[in-house]
Amino acid sequence: MQGMSTADFLHPEDQLSVRTAFSALAQGQAEATVQHRSRHKLGHYVWVETSLRSIQDGAESQAAVLGVSRDIQERKALEAETLVARDLAREQAQRALLAEDISGVGYWRVDLATNDLFLSPKMYEIYGVGSDQPLTANDLLAQLHPDERAEEQARIARRLKTGEPEFDAVFRIIRRDGVVRHLRGSSIIEMEADGARRAVLGTVIDITDIFEARQAVADSEARYRRLAEQATDMIARLSIEGRFEFVTPSSQHILGYAPEVLIGQRPLDLIHPDDQKSVAAAYRALLHQGVEAPTPQVRYRGLHADGGWIWLEGRPRVVFDPETGAPLGYQDVVRDISVSVAAEEAAEQARAAAEASANAKTDFLANMSHELRTPLTSVLGFSRLIQEQPELSSNTRRFVDRVMNAGAALLATVNDILDFSKLEAGQIEVKRQPASPLAVLTQSIELFSVQAEEKGLAMRLDLAEGLPETVLLDVDRLRQVLLNLVGNAVKFTEAGEVRIEASYQDEALHFAVSDTGAGIAPELQAKLFQRFSQIDASATRSHGGTGLGLAICKGLIAAMGGEIGLTSQVGHGARFHFSIPAPRAAAIVLPDAAKTAQALPVGLRVLVADDNPANLDVVGAALRGLGVEVTTAGDGQSALEIASGAPFDAILLDLRMPGLDGSATASVIRHGGGANAEIPILAFSADVTSPLDTALFDGLIAKPIDPAALLIALSAAFELEADLGQS
């Protein structure tokens, strides 16, 4: 070792620490100790601890350094093992904390001798307490839910007494923030070697989320169970073979059978025999249509437990295996629809009754029309014939005029009643044809000119520029409205004038009828358009009328697609105004009665059939005056017998005759193949709104019979026959 320095023996990594120790001595430090590695004689390094001391000379200067070294290899090895163990423990503790955090499990321990409490960090989190706050076992017990505290404390005491472990105990705590949490814990008793109880240790996990989820599932199941038990609909699951596998308790309410009674039975056995085929077909169709099949509504009658049949409605669907797509069975929702079916049947019966009532009303109106207008035909017809006699005295002519006026008033009243009834029944048909609005206005005014002249009233017609010569309109309906309005104006005006205005705008006719009468108060104006309504009930006696005129006007104008209104002030008269659609049409030539009569074939032979002799006389007198040869029959059978033995140029048949009516008589003539099968056949009818069988008849003549209308109808029939013959 001679010739070697101290550094030659030191481990390179320890040389600095040794030099530092020597420097400290040189600076006046008396002693220094340093641990370092020295080279062993065998060549390896060993740990030694060297104590250095400074040796002073007399002048208090450092003379030498004395060093004493001892082997500390074993101590260093032990320190290394301890360090490794400490690092391992620290790592294990970190892993335990990580596992505790991941698993959510908290750990606790109570020393029974000292009552010291150890809590893992997770325990503080579960109990909602900061880890810097000291806790005792009593603090934890105090956080137990009040409803469970006594039971938990008794259980803890029992365990301490018996020493038995406890697993998966569920309890509640109230955290310091007031939140209730559900916990599950397990604990064991730690024992001494001599059997004494040293400590209690255990684990706790917060299961609030699990508890709430399970509670939600339980609540949901309970809700659905209550729904199934309380639902009025019956939910059923059927096997693919068609037997009940599951039925809700509502089967008791609907069918009277408890669910357990139905399980295993075939639903088809509880279905009415007449409905089994359709129900089975509906189920088969579902099976063949697959998963996308719409849910049908299947109605059928089901057998109740009391033996009666009730109406049911099912909504079946097929349940398929989600993986294989194979059908597993059926699910059906069935409800009792007996009440709704009964309501539908009642509604159908009511509809049928309403239709029967409407038909009866229609028949009644037709009969009334026939029975009322037939005698009026005689009254007006014969009065007109008498009026045409030139040798009448002035008194006789005055009497005839009064009869004519009375008959016309009676006819107007009858028409009002019948027309309003038809309006209410929706039986008014609007027939538009080319017509002159000026002609309709002129005719309506002329009918009241004499009456207005007798009262000293002026009748004025104001026509706006641009009024078309010809438009499409229902002449009869327009005339009826104008006659009502003009007639009322003349009737209720004692002095002054009645003014009729007409204009045309936007493909519509606009009319107004004004008077200088007493006027109508605002609160009474709306009543005028109501049925059987008049401003003063005494007006019925003083002026006559049914109180239906304006209501009919409103209904007719509405049927023609128009509107009607009124403006009036008391003491300043009234102004009724209305408008109706009327597209322009090509010009027409109005028929002339004289020319029409001249156009009839010479030597015309006509057969007239009517069960009313007066009507026969009226028609016969009108036609014979024109040189027509008339043969009459009192009923349909007589007309057939006459028509089978002689040819005629035309036949006129009353539609309503006893026995064989007009239509039946015409049918026999048309299809009998005789001499009269192809000639014109015209119908008499008091009900001109009913549809006419055009395969049997060539025209319709309204009652009461107007001679001019009769001639026009005959002429039209012969013109049609001539056109057909030429074609």
Side-chain angles (χ1 to χ4, degrees):
M1 296 175 52
Q2 189 176 7
M4 298 180 64
S5 67
T6 305
D8 294 333
F9 293 94
L10 295 175
H11 191 282
E13 295 178 359
D14 299 334
Q15 290 180 7
L16 178 60
S17 60
V18 173
R19 284 199 299 271
T20 301
F22 274 94
S23 296
L25 293 175
Q27 295 175 4
Q29 183 174 317
E31 295 180 354
T33 302
V34 61
Q35 293 181 355
H36 59 87
R37 284 162 288 184
S38 294
R39 181 181 296 174
H40 194 272
K41 63 181 178 179
L42 296 180
H44 61 274
Y45 288 96
V46 295
W47 278 99
V48 296
E49 183 179 76
T50 301
S51 298
L52 301 175
R53 178 181 299 174
S54 176
I55 301 175
Q56 305 292 331
D57 59 8
E60 295 185 357
S61 62
Q62 183 178 10
V65 175
L66 176 64
V68 178
S69 298
R70 62 176 178 272
D71 187 349
I72 61 170
Q73 184 68 25
E74 291 184 2
R75 188 173 70 178
K76 277 293 184 179
L78 181 60
E79 287 179 357
E81 291 178 1
T82 302
L83 183 60
V84 170
R86 187 182 301 116
D87 291 341
L88 180 60
R90 185 181 299 109
E91 182 180 353
Q92 288 177 341
Q94 290 176 346
R95 289 179 179 176
L97 290 175
L98 181 61
E100 183 181 46
D101 189 59
I102 293 174
S103 65
V105 176
Y107 165 75
W108 59 271
R109 182 179 184 279
V110 177
D111 189 306
L112 295 179
T114 63
N115 206 31
D116 290 338
L117 173 66
F118 166 79
L119 296 176
S120 69
K122 196 67 177 178
M123 287 293 295
Y124 287 94
E125 179 182 334
I126 292 174
Y127 276 79
V129 180
S131 58
D132 58 340
Q133 301 180 26
L135 290 175
T136 66
N138 291 332
D139 293 332
L140 296 185
L141 292 176
Q143 286 191 230
L144 287 170
H145 195 282
D147 295 345
E148 301 173 1
R149 187 175 300 154
E151 181 181 350
E152 282 296 316
Q153 289 177 338
R155 188 168 68 249
I156 292 171
R158 188 166 54 252
R159 286 187 2 252
L160 290 174
K161 182 178 181 180
T162 61
E164 295 177 354
E166 182 177 48
F167 302 100
D168 297 328
V170 177
F171 55 94
R172 288 175 295 170
I173 65 168
I174 301 179
R175 299 197 321 186
R176 293 186 179 181
D177 57 6
V179 176
V180 176
R181 306 298 291 180
H182 295 263
L183 308 181
R184 183 176 66 226
S186 299
S187 61
I188 60 173
I189 305 297
E190 183 180 340
M191 310 293 286
E192 297 281 5
D194 58 0
R197 294 167 177 74
R198 177 189 300 170
V200 181
L201 58 142
T203 59
V204 172
I205 184 171
D206 189 331
I207 60 169
T208 303
D209 293 342
I210 299 174
F211 179 86
E212 290 177 350
R214 289 178 178 175
Q215 188 62 42
V217 171
D219 292 344
S220 177
E221 290 178 350
R223 273 197 309 273
Y224 283 111
R225 189 179 301 109
R226 286 195 298 271
L227 284 174
E229 292 173 352
Q230 299 173 6
T232 56
D233 293 352
M234 180 181 78
I235 302 172
R237 175 73 180 265
L238 285 71
S239 66
I240 199 66
E241 293 80 18
R243 294 187 179 276
F244 284 117
E245 293 181 338
F246 167 80
V247 182
T248 56
S250 51
S251 62
Q252 184 81 52
H253 171 71
I254 294 177
L255 294 172
Y257 300 101
E260 57 271 17
V261 175
L262 296 176
I263 300 301
Q265 293 195 38
R266 293 190 335 140
L268 210 59
D269 296 336
L270 301 176
I271 296 176
H272 194 283
D274 295 344
D275 301 332
Q276 290 181 0
K277 187 175 180 181
S278 61
V279 174
Y283 270 72
R284 284 195 301 271
L286 276 176
L287 197 60
H288 295 150
Q289 290 172 9
V291 179
E292 301 299 327
T295 302
Q297 295 181 1
V298 185
R299 282 190 172 192
Y300 54 90
R301 284 159 291 181
L303 181 63
H304 195 274
D306 61 10
W309 296 100
I310 60 173
W311 276 101
L312 302 174
E313 181 182 82
R315 292 174 175 265
R317 69 179 185 88
V318 180
V319 179
F320 293 92
D321 188 305
E323 296 182 359
T324 65
L328 301 177
Y330 300 92
Q331 181 174 301
D332 201 352
V333 179
V334 181
R335 65 177 50 182
D336 185 348
I337 59 169
S338 301
V339 174
S340 59
V341 170
E344 291 173 4
E345 292 176 349
E348 179 62 25
Q349 293 174 0
R351 186 189 62 80
E355 289 181 354
S357 176
N359 293 335
K361 184 175 182 180
T362 301
D363 293 340
F364 172 76
L365 289 175
N367 289 329
M368 285 292 293
S369 177
H370 179 79
E371 296 300 327
L372 291 174
R373 285 173 171 157
T374 295
L376 282 175
T377 298
S378 299
V379 172
L380 296 176
F382 283 118
S383 298
R384 188 177 291 109
L385 292 174
I386 296 172
Q387 196 178 40
E388 293 173 356
Q389 301 300 314
E391 67 275 10
L392 293 179
S393 65
S394 59
N395 281 338
T396 302
R397 189 170 298 281
R398 188 174 75 254
F399 295 156
V400 173
D401 289 343
R402 290 186 177 180
V403 171
M404 287 288 293
N405 290 335
L410 180 58
L411 179 60
T413 300
V414 170
N415 287 339
D416 279 354
I417 296 173
L418 296 178
D419 286 346
F420 187 77
S421 298
K422 290 175 181 177
L423 277 170
E424 281 197 320
Q427 297 173 347
I428 289 293
E429 182 181 359
V430 175
K431 297 180 179 178
R432 293 181 175 85
Q433 57 186 7
S436 168
L438 179 58
V440 179
L441 282 166
T442 303
Q443 295 166 6
S444 302
I445 293 173
E446 286 178 350
L447 288 175
F448 296 98
S449 59
V450 175
Q451 184 180 350
E453 185 178 351
E454 290 176 350
K455 298 181 69 173
L457 301 176
M459 295 284 289
R460 301 186 184 279
L461 177 60
D462 292 342
L463 301 177
E465 292 185 6
L467 187 69
E469 182 179 342
T470 307
V471 295
L472 287 176
L473 56 81
D474 189 323
V475 174
D476 294 333
R477 301 306 179 195
L478 175 58
R479 181 185 295 112
Q480 191 172 355
V481 172
L482 287 171
L483 290 178
N484 261 298
L485 297 180
V486 176
N488 282 345
V490 173
K491 182 190 302 184
F492 294 103
T493 303
E494 300 303 326
E497 67 175 20
V498 173
R499 182 185 300 269
I500 299 94
E501 305 167 61
S503 62
Y504 189 79
Q505 187 178 2
D506 299 331
E507 294 290 299
L509 285 169
H510 302 270
F511 299 94
V513 178
S514 306
D515 62 58
T516 55
I520 306 167
E523 65 272 12
L524 301 176
Q525 291 178 16
K527 293 178 58 179
L528 288 179
F529 294 102
Q530 300 174 5
R531 60 181 181 174
F532 308 117
S533 176
Q534 292 179 326
I535 296 301
D536 183 1
S538 64
T540 305
R541 295 190 296 274
S542 61
H543 296 286
T546 60
L548 291 173
L550 291 178
I552 292 174
C553 288
K554 183 177 181 180
L556 291 176
I557 291 172
M560 290 187 285
E563 296 179 345
I564 187 172
L566 162 66
T567 56
S568 178
Q569 291 183 358
V570 176
H572 294 82
R575 184 176 186 271
F576 290 86
H577 53 87
F578 69 95
S579 61
I580 56 173
R584 295 176 185 269
I588 58 171
V589 179
L590 295 176
D592 179 82
K595 292 181 180 179
T596 300
Q598 294 174 2
L600 292 176
V602 179
L604 190 64
R605 301 180 70 238
V606 176
L607 171 62
V608 182
D610 197 313
D611 62 310
N612 189 301
N615 288 345
L616 292 176
D617 289 343
V618 171
V619 175
L623 293 178
R624 290 187 185 102
L626 299 173
V628 177
E629 181 183 339
V630 179
T631 301
T632 60
D635 54 46
Q637 187 60 44
S638 300
L640 285 179
E641 294 173 358
I642 295 172
S644 65
F648 292 92
D649 297 301
I651 298 176
L652 278 62
L653 299 174
D654 181 24
L655 288 180
R656 288 182 172 270
M657 293 186 291
L660 205 64
D661 63 16
S663 297
T665 304
S667 179
V668 175
I669 294 174
R670 287 285 188 222
H671 302 102
N676 299 308
E678 302 297 331
I679 66 169
I681 301 178
L682 304 179
F684 287 136
S685 178
D687 184 16
V688 295
T689 61
S690 298
L692 186 69
D693 189 345
T694 56
L696 300 177
F697 296 99
D698 299 284
L700 176 66
I701 303 169
K703 292 182 179 181
I705 298 170
D706 180 2
L710 175 60
L711 294 177
I712 292 172
L714 277 172
S715 176
F718 283 115
E719 287 178 3
L720 178 62
E721 184 182 31
D723 293 340
L724 292 175
Q726 292 175 2
S727 61

